[in-house]
């Protein structure tokens, strides 16, 4: 089963978008998606607007003016969406997910993991048994990938080792979900479609 909840949501939105335009000609579809993007933009639904403009620029009609305008819209919206994402995920988060480290010998076991996120970076910490403070294990700058991906998602974060992760706040629980997407390379992002590692965190006060 695909574990990337965002991927599922984006696919669902994509299906809805296609359903809206499937009876139209390519020219009409392109115009329709662009107009829907404009409507979402006026409603300040930036994520939805971004998705409509992304579709409008990707081969659904011959109108080069619409393609050009859509590209400019997505470039501008990407900045807004990413800035908003940086603020949303900021904070101190303790891991809930049970991992193999929890099964290690008690003498050197990790008894907790947490991350501290600010708008520019993610700090990764581990807490060892009998230790008095959290140990900083690595730091990753928040760099959003501009490589092509399956869902045109502008919020994929690429680590220094080229691993690509997606972070989002689960609406029902308020938990932070970090999902491993794949690896960035010179041709784009090699993405997993199932068996993705997913980590869950709760926010510390």
């Amino acid at each position: 089963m695909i574990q990337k909840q965002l991927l599922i949501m984006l696919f669902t939105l994509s299906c809805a978008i296609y359903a809206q335009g499937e009876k139209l000609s390519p020219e009409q579809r392109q115009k329709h998606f662009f107009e829907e993007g404009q409507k979402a933009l006026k409603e300040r639904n930036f994520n939805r607007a971004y998705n409509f403009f992304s579709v409008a620029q990707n081969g659904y009609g011959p109108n080069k003016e619409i393609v050009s305008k859509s590209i400019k819209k997505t470039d501008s919206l990407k900045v807004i969406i990413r800035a908003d994402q940086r603020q949303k995920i900021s904070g101190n988060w303790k891991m809930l997910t049970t991992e193999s480290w929890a099964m290690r010998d008690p003498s050197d076991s990790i008894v907790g993991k947490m991350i501290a996120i600010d708008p520019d970076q993610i700090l990764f910490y581990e807490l060892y048994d009998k230790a008095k403070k959290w140990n900083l294990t690595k730091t990753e700058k928040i760099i959003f990938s501009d490589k092509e991906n399956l869902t045109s998602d502008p919020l994929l974060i690429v680590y220094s080792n080229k691993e690509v992760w997606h972070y989002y706040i689960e609406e029902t629980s308020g938990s932070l979900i970090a999902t491993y997407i794949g690896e960035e390379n010179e041709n784009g992002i090699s993405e997993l479609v199932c068996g993705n590692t997913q980590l869950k965190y709760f926010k510390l006060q």
Side-chain angles (χ1 to χ4, degrees), residues 73-129:
K73 295 287 187 183
T74 53
D75 285 346
S76 297
L77 286 167
K78 192 182 295 183
V79 175
I80 297 172
I81 293 170
R82 287 175 172 177
D84 183 58
Q85 176 75 347
R86 290 175 187 271
Q87 295 300 323
K88 281 183 178 179
I89 66 175
S90 289
N92 296 322
W93 303 87
K94 187 174 181 181
M95 184 182 289
L96 285 169
T97 309
T98 301
E99 288 189 327
S100 58
W101 48 264
M103 307 299 290
R104 291 167 57 181
D105 188 287
S107 63
D108 67 346
S109 64
I110 300 171
V111 295
K113 289 188 176 185
M114 69 167 284
I115 54 177
I117 304 176
D118 65 39
D120 299 313
Q121 62 186 355
I122 305 173
L123 306 177
F124 294 81
Y125 293 90
E126 292 178 349
L127 182 65
Y128 289 87
D129 188 40

Side-chain angles (χ1 to χ4, degrees), residues 129-144:
D129 188 40
K130 298 181 181 179
K132 295 182 179 180
K133 63 179 182 178
W134 290 89
N135 179 48
L136 177 64
T137 58
K138 70 173 180 176
T139 300
E140 293 287 352
K141 293 182 179 179
I142 296 181
I143 299 175
F144 294 104

Side-chain angles (χ1 to χ4, degrees), residues 164-176:
V164 178
W165 288 77
H166 183 269
Y167 286 75
Y168 74 97
I169 306 297
E170 190 175 59
E171 290 187 9
T172 54
S173 66
S175 298
L176 176 69

Side-chain angles (χ1 to χ4, degrees), residues 156-200:
L156 301 184
I157 295 174
V158 56
Y159 290 173
S160 56
N161 63 357
K162 299 303 180 183
E163 286 186 357
V164 178
W165 288 77
H166 183 269
Y167 286 75
Y168 74 97
I169 306 297
E170 190 175 59
E171 290 187 9
T172 54
S173 66
S175 298
L176 176 69
I177 309 297
T179 304
Y180 173 69
I181 302 300
E183 293 192 7
E184 186 183 81
N185 55 59
E186 60 183 12
N187 298 317
I189 298 175
S190 57
E191 302 184 47
L192 296 179
V193 294
C194 62
N196 304 70
T197 298
Q198 189 173 84
L199 308 175
K200 190 172 186 177

